[in-house]
Amino acid sequence: MNRKIYKGLALTFALILIGGLGWFANGLLGNPVSKALAQKTAEAHLSDGYPNTDYQIKAVDYSFKDGRYTAHIISPSSIDSTFSLQMDHWGKLLWDSYDSRVKNGWNTAMRLDGAYRALTDTVFEADTFPYHADIAYGTLEIHRREAMEDPLADEIPDYALVMEELVLDHTYDIKALGAEVGHLIVYLEQDTITNAEAAKLLMGIRAQFDKAGIPFRVIDFHLQTPKTEGEQRSDLRLDIESFPYESIDAEGLETRVAEAVEATRAYYAQMEK
């Protein structure tokens, strides 16, 4: 085999290698031409679909998982007006999340929920919180109208706020919302698992939140033993779902806790069926 054939084979191999690397890089990182097409499509869509707004493209990202480009849209004048546009590698618009993120109140709900959780974290994450919590956070009961109207959605309380009725960019009183639809989820760990102990701990949690001036409407309270070295727990535990703030009162509390434990156990059994 002469030198020319060797050179030809080497050149062919090099071209194949370069092409393969280019194909791999394109699939992993995208390419500037497709990104430019996506940018152009996003700009045109904002101009045509959302005239007289100050929506801007914050960034255009590529996802190697699906090979698509996502334009992230923001508004300098609207905290809740963030959404995204998704394009394929030819720049064709595939998806606009405006309706599902902005119009239906999702972004507003997430802003309010995040603000309430930040409030409750000031209690749960404080050095002065006297209990060992495996999980502890607060959330707001805000749900889509469609979910609330589902006859099988018995886990959604009747006092929940309708997401679609939230006002875009409105300044809500987060503490007032906490009193109306605030929901604490707390998993405490300790060796003593009794109704009397649960009653004492509930009183302690209420006292912590009253002192901080942070209201809540109900609490999911779970008392469980600590994990062993093998990351296992004993089967001994106590669970209470949606226990009202008003019911956390010293007089007769242990009885109400016992009733709530039995009601929760019956609810879990029914759910398993």
Side-chain angles (χ1 to χ4, degrees):
M1 191 176 294
N2 58 38
R3 184 180 296 273
K4 290 184 177 180
I5 295 177
Y6 276 119
K7 287 184 177 181
L9 290 175
L11 178 61
T12 301
F13 178 76
L15 292 174
I16 292 174
L17 181 60
I18 292 171
L21 291 173
W23 175 84
F24 177 77
N26 180 68
L28 186 63
L29 304 173
N31 66 81
V33 174
S34 292
K35 185 174 183 178
L37 290 173
Q39 176 87 22
K40 183 177 180 180
T41 297
E43 291 172 351
H45 184 70
L46 291 180
S47 178
D48 296 340
Y50 304 97
N52 304 316
T53 66
D54 61 356
Y55 295 159
Q56 301 174 3
I57 300 173
K58 181 180 180 180
V60 177
D61 296 331
Y62 173 76
S63 172
F64 71 89
K65 294 181 179 180
D66 55 20
R68 296 175 179 179
Y69 293 82
T70 300
H72 303 278
I73 312 303
I74 61 171
S75 166
S77 63
S78 172
I79 190 173
D80 294 332
S81 294
T82 62
F83 59 102
S84 58
L85 308 174
Q86 193 173 81
M87 284 71 62
D88 65 14
H89 64 282
W90 297 110
K92 179 182 177 182
L93 180 68
L94 302 175
W95 183 54
D96 179 344
S97 71
Y98 176 85
D99 286 352
S100 62
R101 295 293 301 274
V102 180
K103 186 177 180 180
N104 76 345
W106 171 266
N107 286 347
T108 307
M110 293 302 100
R111 171 171 61 86
L112 300 178
D113 190 74
Y116 183 67
R117 179 159 185 165
L119 271 182
T120 61
D121 282 350
T122 63
V123 174
F124 290 131
E125 297 181 0
D127 293 336
T128 54
F129 189 68
Y131 313 116
H132 185 270
D134 181 41
I135 298 172
Y137 65 94
T139 187
L140 296 176
E141 291 287 354
I142 305 174
H143 299 273
R144 299 180 191 273
R145 179 180 287 106
E146 182 181 6
M148 295 177 67
E149 293 175 350
D150 186 343
L152 299 179
D154 57 352
E155 74 278 5
I156 298 178
D158 56 8
Y159 58 79
L161 297 180
V162 180
M163 184 182 295
E164 289 85 350
E165 295 179 0
L166 296 176
V167 180
L168 191 75
D169 298 326
H170 182 68
T171 301
Y172 286 87
D173 184 331
I174 301 301
K175 290 186 176 181
L177 288 178
E180 183 181 0
V181 296
H183 192 156
L184 302 185
I185 292 86
V186 182
Y187 289 74
L188 297 187
E189 294 182 329
Q190 64 174 45
D191 294 323
T192 304
I193 312 291
T194 65
N195 291 336
E197 187 67 12
K200 183 175 73 173
L201 293 171
L202 283 168
M203 287 294 296
I205 292 172
R206 171 174 169 162
Q208 291 282 317
F209 275 82
D210 286 348
K211 182 179 179 180
I214 302 173
F216 62 92
R217 179 154 184 166
V218 299
I219 180 173
D220 287 358
F221 179 79
H222 307 271
L223 190 56
Q224 55 195 5
T225 58
K227 290 181 179 179
T228 64
E229 292 184 1
E231 296 295 308
Q232 298 295 319
R233 299 186 195 276
S234 73
D235 293 333
L236 185 63
R237 60 179 294 134
L238 181 151
D239 301 290
I240 300 175
E241 295 281 344
S242 299
F243 198 71
Y245 170 87
E246 291 80 4
S247 295
I248 306 175
D249 182 84
E251 185 175 353
L253 180 54
E254 187 175 338
T255 299
R256 290 191 296 277
V257 165
E259 293 171 348
V261 169
E262 288 303 314
T264 300
R265 185 178 292 119
Y267 173 76
Y268 287 170
Q270 183 62 33
M271 292 295 290
E272 288 178 359
K273 292 181 180 180

